[in-house]
Amino acid sequence: MSQKFIKSKNNNQYNASYGKYFATAVYDSHFVGTDELAEFIQRQASVKKSDIKAVLQELGEAMKHFFEMGQKIKLDGIGIFKVGFSSIGVDKIEDCGASTISTRRVLFQPETTRVVTGQTRKDGKVKQKYVNAITLLKDVVFEETHDNTMNAEPETPATGN
């Protein structure tokens, strides 16, 4: 399988890229839930689906606990998760507090891998050219589609997964 994309034209006349074409991601309407994720992992490892689901459930609880402690969480091969928030500006320092926090979110920084893309020689020295590739996306293949809806199957009611 591959990540699908369509070609779309920038029609915003106030944007510097007006009139240019860009590849735009198209996603399947299906969300992968805990059950499906656990089923997939079960096929890849020697652990039962019920055990995987229990671990995934506890992962969410553990993350919440460490976020409440003001800590960041690093999952090898995935990336770093941390708390982010916005706050309302106030005139006096004594008015700035937890009550001024307006939005909360989880920030995610994916793990990256340094990938050498070439090398050059200058003054007898070899200099490598490289990019930092997001580890989770390193081997993802991209494919153009003409179906920008990609509704694979009708959604079923949520089951609390």
Side-chain angles (χ1 to χ4, degrees):
M1 295 297 291
S2 57
Q3 170 62 55
K4 307 289 191 230
F5 69 89
I6 59 171
K7 297 173 186 174
S8 60
K9 185 176 184 178
N10 180 341
N11 292 319
N12 181 350
Q13 61 184 342
Y14 303 107
N15 188 290
S17 299
Y18 174 69
K20 295 190 180 197
Y21 290 88
F22 295 88
T24 304
V26 177
Y27 304 99
D28 190 313
S29 63
H30 172 74
F31 280 82
V32 175
T34 306
D35 279 338
E36 191 173 347
L37 191 58
E39 183 73 38
F40 180 85
I41 294 170
Q42 176 182 262
R43 289 192 305 267
Q44 307 300 314
S46 60
V47 182
K48 294 172 88 178
K49 178 180 173 182
S50 58
D51 295 330
I52 296 164
K53 284 181 68 174
V55 168
L56 291 173
Q57 178 70 37
E58 289 303 317
L59 175 62
E61 296 296 322
M63 290 177 79
K64 181 179 178 186
H65 168 78
F66 288 110
F67 288 156
E68 288 172 344
M69 303 297 291
Q71 296 179 302
K72 297 183 280 186
I73 299 163
K74 182 178 187 288
L75 298 179
D76 293 336
I78 297 174
I80 298 170
F81 297 84
K82 63 183 178 181
V83 172
F85 57 85
S86 299
S87 106
I88 299 166
V90 292
D91 294 326
K92 297 186 240 167
I93 192 168
E94 59 270 10
D95 293 338
C96 185
S99 64
T100 62
I101 293 174
S102 57
T103 58
R104 304 168 188 196
R105 58 192 165 276
V106 174
L107 302 175
F108 173 63
Q109 178 184 353
E111 183 176 286
T112 58
T113 305
R114 189 176 206 180
V115 178
V116 177
T117 59
Q119 53 183 295
T120 58
R121 290 186 181 271
K122 187 173 183 180
D123 300 328
K125 296 180 182 176
V126 176
K127 183 175 180 171
Q128 290 185 331
K129 295 180 181 179
Y130 67 92
V131 295
N132 285 327
I134 297 172
T135 305
L136 291 170
L137 301 176
K138 189 173 70 166
D139 299 320
V140 172
V141 175
F142 296 90
E143 176 184 343
E144 183 180 0
T145 183
H146 298 288
D147 177 11
N148 63 354
T149 58
M150 288 192 53
N151 292 324
E153 56 197 51
E155 284 293 310
T156 55
T159 58
N161 295 331

